[in-house]
Amino acid sequence: MTNILILGGDGYLGWPTAMYLSQKGYEVTVVDNYFRRKCCLELNIEALYQNFNLVERAKIWYELTGKEIKVVLGDLREPEIMHSLFNGKVNYSWCIDLKYKGVPESVIHYAEQPSAPYSLISQGNSEFTLTNNLKVTHNLIWSVKEFSKETHIIKLGTMGEYGTPNIDIEEGWLDINHKGRSHKFLYPRQAGSIYHTSKIMDTDLLWYAVRMWGITVTDLMQGPVYGYKTEESEIDERLNTIFNYDDIFGTVINRFVVQAVSGIPLTVYGKGGQTRGYLNINDTLQCIHQAIKVPAKKGDLRIFNQIMETFTVNEIAEKISSVGTKIGYDVKVNSIENPRKELESHYYNPTYQGLIDIGVKPHYLDEKAIKDLFQTVEKYKNNIRKDSILPRVKW
């Protein structure tokens, strides 16, 4: 069985990815330091429902399926902890079979501070975002270089690296003709937050490691994700992933549905013409799996734009409002002052064919998908903290 390592395995995407790959027969090890859980406590924000910790969820998964997800609790900013995952000196926090399975064939790298608003709360938050994200990526490429150059790194990037250029966004690369000569370059990046800047630096680190050390990398430029329900989580609700709806970690579609259910007008920032690419959480799992099955070529930095469709914020608000009204909610939409420095009306035409070409079958933001979100939020309606929804961070 293929040995898979997931960095950031307690997160919104990390835990569903672990279950998905385990169910498909992979040997899965997850690593986390509970940053997001600790951060939510420090910022006084809560998820829609409580989640069992990583060890407990791994135990529940084993009891229900007979499949093991090994757990390592540790801070991947520390080089020796990252090295241990590749050199056989790993200290498992929970596992059934203590035998080291050898170096991973693929590493899924989610282990970063994932929030643009968080990165701009203060200078301290900004510094943490840079040092955490870059140290983890730096430790990963050195570990692969030293112990396992055949390992395929699958890194979660972000479409936010590109910004909103006035030309089409290609999948990571751009062919340039200049004064009669041509060359292929990484597509120009222009981040709108310190978080997104850290992701650009990640891509640069990976490109360096590919060019100089022959490491193989797939960098997935992901758009905002929505949903929480996967085939694996439906086995038992104790396996659910985290569902944030707050202004720091909550993505816009999940947050809008919570606002609709709790009677808060949907908060459209500024003119609402900001256009982004979106995908269902189940498509994130598909994309990771297909990237494992169809790996990048050795010594290649392969980049995919990981989105399935694009919408303006106004279009998303209209979709949520329409479905909410049909099922009995009085959904209002309010335009508020934009807390972010960004273009509110712009050209946006990204290419996103690569993942479909290797076998991903998209889910779309249709009425059923939105109704499913409403049903989930309705179930936990009494848990909603209205004071953590509206934006508190400005930049």
Side-chain angles (χ1 to χ4, degrees), residues 226 243-246 250-269 272 274 278 312-321 324 329 331-336 365 370 373-374 377 384 389-391:
Y226 61 89
F243 191 112
N244 281 114
Y245 58 89
D246 56 87
T251 55
V252 63
I253 295 174
N254 290 355
R255 180 162 46 85
F256 274 5
V257 173
V258 170
Q259 287 179 297
V261 171
S262 58
I264 299 173
L266 311 190
T267 46
V268 171
Y269 295 172
Q274 303 93 321
Y278 297 84
T312 66
V313 175
N314 285 330
E315 288 170 336
I316 291 173
E318 174 57 33
K319 282 178 172 287
I320 303 301
S321 175
Y329 288 96
V331 184
K332 293 181 171 57
V333 179
N334 277 0
S335 176
I336 66 173
L365 186 62
I370 296 172
L373 279 171
F374 268 95
V377 175
I384 295 172
I389 297 176
L390 297 180

Side-chain angles (χ1 to χ4, degrees), residues 28-44:
V28 178
T29 298
V30 296
V31 189
D32 211 286
N33 67 348
Y34 290 150
F35 158 76
R36 187 153 169 167
R37 291 175 184 260
K38 296 172 186 175
C39 182
C40 287
L41 287 173
E42 290 170 2
L43 295 175
N44 192 29

Side-chain angles (χ1 to χ4, degrees), residues 80 254 392:
E80 61 273 17
N254 290 355
R392 292 167 288 177

Side-chain angles (χ1 to χ4, degrees), residues 294-309:
V294 187
K297 296 177 182 177
K298 184 173 176 56
D300 184 26
L301 174 60
R302 178 177 63 173
I303 299 176
F304 291 127
N305 292 342
Q306 189 173 297
I307 60 176
M308 296 301 153
E309 50 194 335

Side-chain angles (χ1 to χ4, degrees), residues 36-173:
R36 187 153 169 167
R37 291 175 184 260
K38 296 172 186 175
C39 182
C40 287
L41 287 173
E42 290 170 2
L43 295 175
N44 192 29
I45 53 181
E46 297 177 5
L48 185 63
Y49 44 76
Q50 295 296 313
N51 296 97
F52 284 84
N53 68 39
L54 193 51
V55 170
E56 289 304 310
R57 284 191 289 184
K59 289 179 179 178
I60 293 166
W61 178 252
Y62 181 76
E63 291 167 3
L64 294 174
T65 68
K67 298 177 185 296
E68 178 188 31
I69 295 175
K70 287 182 165 62
V71 176
V72 178
L73 297 179
D75 191 337
L76 293 169
R77 291 176 297 174
E78 299 178 19
E80 61 273 17
I81 291 180
M82 184 72 82
H83 294 339
S84 73
L85 303 167
F86 295 85
N87 64 14
K89 299 179 181 179
V90 60
N91 181 23
Y92 295 110
S93 301
W94 183 83
C95 66
I96 299 297
D97 180 4
L98 281 170
K99 183 179 179 182
Y100 178 64
K101 299 296 182 180
V103 296
E105 294 184 33
S106 292
V107 177
I108 318 302
H109 180 11
Y110 292 125
E112 300 201 317
Q113 189 294 103
S115 166
Y118 179 91
S119 73
L120 288 160
I121 292 174
S122 69
Q123 182 175 341
N125 295 85
S126 175
E127 181 178 352
F128 174 83
T129 300
L130 288 171
T131 56
N132 178 83
N133 293 1
L134 294 175
K135 276 187 174 181
V136 174
T137 299
H138 184 250
N139 288 342
L140 174 59
I141 62 176
W142 272 97
S143 295
V144 171
K145 173 185 181 291
E146 295 296 319
F147 303 109
S148 178
K149 288 189 74 171
E150 300 304 313
T151 293
H152 178 202
I153 297 174
I154 301 174
K155 167 72 171 58
L156 193 70
T158 167
M159 289 294 291
E161 292 185 35
Y162 299 122
T164 52
N166 198 38
I167 60 172
D168 292 358
I169 299 174
E170 306 301 335
E171 297 207 74
W173 298 93

